[in-house]
């Protein structure tokens, strides 16, 4: 009985090693190459002197497919065999054994191995992992509305029309987007949602889509829709129309009123400041308050 358990344990250990070993080797030696779809990829050879080499082989473990032999070459006899289906689009360098593949497609993705048998029976192995990429292009941002009302939610959806293995990120006014309670990113960062949108959310937003070979972006200018209907009285304060603009006008009036009172007491101030107080022309009975003309227009 214990003998059988030992067998099982040994078997399990072997299985474990069989799965583990190739990975360990890959981590140490495999180079990564990213190339654009339908372009040319150069798989590096070696700088060994050909006179010390018995045989050279290129083969590939294509993603999710069988292992394919691409070519074998023996420098001594100058014999070369190239797989029929690769003959038209690979170039092999006899001096350094590099392999050039033209017109790569997604079916070329995988790990390419160069095995060199030396005359002294030693062996050199080099691996290159090839990933085919379509560059990012045509980045779009869509949303239900471009000019939302204050307090509403709005979602911006970003999408690169072309491009593989893309990741998304967002900027506001060229800075990384500050993530707060009211700005929510989808899991893949492609969608940005504003909850209870406020004046402070107004600005220029940029979606950046990128992959290892390229990046693209699209800008979106977020504005708020001005309220047109009848608003409750409190919305004339911080929240609603005229909001900050209203405050600016009040301050402006106070400012120009103070200027005028000062000027009447002390002469010789600059004309420029005085000229800027254009609102002076509008009839006002009381300089300290919001111009009545403006309020009347809003309340209608
Ligand atoms: C690949 O590129 C060649 C020219 O470089 C072009 O003629 C061909 O149409 C392209 N194929 C694809 C699938 O894009
Ligand atoms: C090997 O030779 C090819 C063609 O002659 C060249 O393009 C490549 O840069 C060379 N070097 C290596 C390390 O493969
Ligand atoms: C390779 O080695 C041989 C002899 O060992 C030498 O004659 C030859 O010049 C070497 N070739 C290169 C390219 O280094
Ligand atoms: C040659 O390449 C084709 C296509 O990749 C593959 O199906 C075939 O098995 C290869 N031949 C050998 C001998 O590996
Ligand atoms: C905005 O989203 C929040 C959270 O998802 C939700 O509670 C709220 O009802 C939404 N508001 C509107 C106006 O749709
Ligand atoms: C976010 O919400 C939490 C809980 O609702 C609150 O404690 C926190 O102060 C909020 N942070 C900001 C920046 O508004
Ligand atoms: C989403 O963006 C944040 C930064 O805003 C980043 O830390 C995170 O890694 C991104 N997630 C994905 C899946 O790209």
């Amino acid at each position: 009985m214990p003998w059988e358990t030992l067998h099982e344990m040994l078997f399990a250990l072997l299985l474990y090693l069989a799965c583990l070993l190739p990975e360990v080797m890959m981590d140490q030696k495999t180079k990564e190459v990213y190339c654009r779809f339908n372009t040319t990829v150069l798989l590096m050879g070696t700088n060994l002197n050909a006179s010390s080499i018995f045989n050279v082989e290129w083969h590939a473990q294509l993603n999710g497919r069988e292992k394919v032999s691409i070519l074998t070459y023996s420098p001594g006899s100058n014999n070369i065999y190239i797989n029929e289906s690769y003959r038209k689009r690979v170039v092999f360098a006899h001096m350094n054994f590099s392999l050039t593949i033209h017109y790569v497609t997604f079916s070329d993705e995988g790990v390419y191995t160069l095995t060199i048998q030396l005359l002294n029976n030693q062996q050199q192995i080099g691996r290159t992992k090839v990933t085919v990429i379509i560059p990012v292009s045509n980045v779009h941002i869509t949303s239900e509305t471009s000019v939302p009302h204050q307090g509403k939610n709005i979602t911006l959806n970003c999408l690169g029309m072309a491009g593989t293995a893309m990741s998304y990120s967002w900027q506001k006014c060229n800075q990384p987007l500050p993530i707060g309670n009211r700005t929510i990113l989808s899991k893949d960062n492609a969608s940005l949602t504003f909850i209870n949108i406020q004046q402070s959310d107004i600005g220029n937003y940029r979606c950046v889509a990128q992959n290892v070979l390229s990046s693209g972006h699209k800008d979106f200018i977020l504005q708020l829709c001005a309220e047109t209907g009848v608003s409750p009285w409190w919305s004339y304060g911080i929240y609603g129309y005229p909001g900050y603009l209203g405050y600016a006008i009040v301050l402006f009036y106070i400012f120009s009123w103070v200027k005028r009172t000062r000027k009447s007491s002390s002469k010789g101030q600059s004309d420029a400041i005085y000229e800027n107080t254009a609102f002076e022309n509008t009839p006002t009975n009381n300089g300290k308050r919001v111009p009545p003309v403006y309020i009347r227009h809003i309340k209608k």
Side-chain angles (χ1 to χ4, degrees):
M1 278 297 176
W3 188 238
E4 269 178 25
T5 358
L6 188 63
H7 257 259
E8 274 173 21
M9 280 171 65
L10 270 176
F11 188 62
L13 182 69
L14 278 177
L15 268 183
Y16 175 70
L17 284 178
C19 299
L20 197 66
L21 278 178
E23 262 198 308
V24 173
M25 280 169 64
M26 271 179 63
D27 280 347
Q28 286 169 348
K29 285 200 167 176
T30 305
K31 288 187 292 260
E32 294 234 18
V33 169
Y34 296 92
C35 64
R36 289 167 190 247
F37 182 81
N38 201 23
T39 61
T40 294
V41 62
L42 170 68
L43 304 173
M44 286 303 196
T46 179
N47 50 15
L48 285 175
N49 185 332
S51 66
S52 63
I53 289 166
F54 172 63
N55 191 56
V56 175
E57 187 200 1
W58 271 106
H59 70 257
Q61 180 63 60
L62 301 175
N63 284 355
R65 293 204 288 151
E66 79 283 25
K67 182 173 147 181
V68 297
S69 175
I70 297 171
L71 70 79
T72 55
Y73 172 62
S74 44
S77 61
N78 211 23
N79 270 347
I80 185 160
Y81 154 80
I82 303 184
N83 182 330
E84 185 69 43
S85 26
Y86 284 91
R87 210 161 279 172
K88 280 198 182 122
R89 61 188 192 103
V90 298
V91 176
F92 176 66
H94 290 245
M95 291 305 290
N96 63 23
F97 314 134
S98 69
L99 185 70
T100 306
I101 307 176
H102 295 295
Y103 310 117
V104 291
T105 67
F106 292 111
S107 59
D108 292 318
E109 286 190 327
V111 177
Y112 289 74
T113 304
L114 169 63
T115 309
I116 298 173
Q117 301 279 354
L118 299 174
L119 284 171
N120 65 6
N121 272 335
Q122 286 188 332
Q123 179 168 292
Q124 259 201 7
I125 294 179
R127 289 189 176 83
T128 309
K129 182 167 189 263
V130 172
T131 305
V132 179
I133 297 284
I134 291 181
V136 176
S137 66
N138 244 331
V139 181
H140 282 269
I141 294 179
T142 56
S143 95
E144 323 84 83
T145 167
S146 55
V147 191
H149 288 270
Q150 181 158 327
K152 291 284 166 42
N153 301 342
I154 178 176
T155 297
L156 311 183
N157 298 298
C158 185
L159 180 67
M161 288 301 168
T164 49
M166 281 185 287
S167 65
Y168 298 92
S169 59
W170 293 84
Q171 297 170 354
K172 182 182 184 184
C173 304
N174 294 323
Q175 298 293 317
L177 182 70
I179 295 301
N181 282 354
R182 294 185 301 99
T183 47
I184 295 170
L185 285 172
S186 62
K187 214 169 183 184
D188 62 355
N189 285 354
S191 299
L192 169 63
T193 300
F194 296 89
I195 306 288
N196 184 17
I197 198 160
Q198 299 296 325
Q199 294 277 345
S200 58
D201 296 323
I202 289 176
N204 188 30
Y205 291 83
R206 169 169 293 182
C207 168
V208 180
Q210 60 185 356
N211 58 27
V212 280
L213 290 185
S214 61
S215 82
H217 66 256
K218 180 74 181 176
D219 287 350
F220 185 93
I221 296 169
L222 183 64
Q223 291 172 311
L224 286 193
C225 186
E227 298 290 343
T228 46
V230 180
S231 304
W233 60 271
W234 48 263
S235 74
Y236 292 115
I238 290 178
Y239 301 101
Y241 200 75
Y244 293 125
L245 180 62
Y247 275 117
I249 291 170
V250 171
L251 286 175
F252 186 77
Y253 262 80
I254 294 172
F255 179 74
S256 46
W257 178 73
V258 170
K259 271 272 180 279
R260 246 178 302 144
T261 10
R262 284 230 183 120
K263 185 160 184 173
S264 55
S265 55
S266 72
K267 298 257 167 185
Q269 287 209 347
S270 116
D271 282 351
I273 293 172
Y274 211 77
E275 267 173 26
N276 277 339
T277 57
F279 281 108
E280 259 199 338
N281 299 333
T282 47
T284 52
N285 302 328
N286 188 344
K288 245 184 192 176
R289 295 179 62 104
V290 177
V293 176
Y294 201 52
I295 290 279
R296 220 177 295 133
H297 169 72
I298 297 151
K299 280 185 172 163
K300 216 176 276 189

